[in-house]
Amino acid sequence: MDNRQAIGSWLSGPRAAAEEAGVDFGYRGEQLGLPEHGPGSIARPGRRLGALAVDWGLCLLIAYGLLTDGYGQATGNWALLVFFALGVLTVGTVGFTPGKRLLGLRVVAEGGGRPNPLRVLLRTALLCVAVPALIWDRDGRGLHDRLARTIEVRI
């Protein structure tokens, strides 16, 4: 390997350098036994963020209209509480929030099926903290999903 290749490897990132060396990472969700495309495959980041934006907007609307009677700092705090309740109740019962359903996503347990209510509670609490949701693994799962042993998949 000459110097140009060595310098170029860090520019393209560690994954590209490993792939160039012959490592096969497979597709997102392969290690979890999920299909590469279509229903049951790992949800892509764009859809996940879109569903989060829809859910957050709905929670802000509920907090603004029903709880605080106007916009202020209290509205954001109440919206977070509504977001937590919405996540626990809807994901814990039907497997998706309104935003997830609108964009064709569902939360399932690692082995398949509906997630345990305690795991849904943990997942939603970590999602409200926000930082664990920003740390992703190679399958595209956030730390909140890994710790709760859940997967967000396409319907």
Side-chain angles (χ1 to χ4, degrees):
M1 175 183 289
D2 66 9
N3 287 337
R4 288 177 294 183
Q5 256 185 326
I7 291 172
S9 68
W10 71 268
L11 288 173
S12 56
R15 182 181 178 116
E19 285 175 344
E20 189 175 300
V23 176
D24 180 26
F25 286 108
Y27 60 87
R28 292 177 184 236
E30 184 176 19
Q31 292 179 337
L32 300 168
L34 301 174
E36 185 174 2
H37 301 289
S41 64
I42 292 279
R44 297 290 182 216
R47 282 189 180 201
R48 294 177 72 157
L49 290 173
L52 181 65
V54 169
D55 290 335
W56 184 250
L58 179 65
C59 293
L60 270 175
L61 188 64
I62 291 169
Y64 177 80
L66 299 177
L67 300 172
T68 61
D69 195 34
Y71 189 78
Q73 177 62 36
T75 304
N77 295 337
W78 280 105
L80 186 61
L81 184 64
V82 171
F83 182 79
F84 178 78
L86 177 78
V88 169
L89 293 175
T90 58
V91 172
T93 56
V94 293
F96 49 77
T97 61
K100 288 181 187 0
R101 180 67 182 134
L102 183 67
L103 294 173
L105 304 177
R106 168 178 242 118
V107 177
V108 296
E110 274 185 356
R114 194 176 338 172
N116 176 327
L118 290 175
R119 296 199 182 277
V120 171
L121 187 68
L122 174 66
R123 180 187 188 278
T124 306
L126 290 172
L127 185 60
C128 287
V129 175
V131 173
L134 298 174
I135 302 170
W136 293 6
D137 65 1
R138 72 173 218 70
D139 286 322
R141 291 172 48 198
L143 185 58
H144 65 296
D145 276 328
R146 287 189 59 98
L147 292 175
R149 296 176 57 195
T150 58
I151 308 165
E152 196 164 344
V153 297
R154 295 176 55 194
I155 295 177

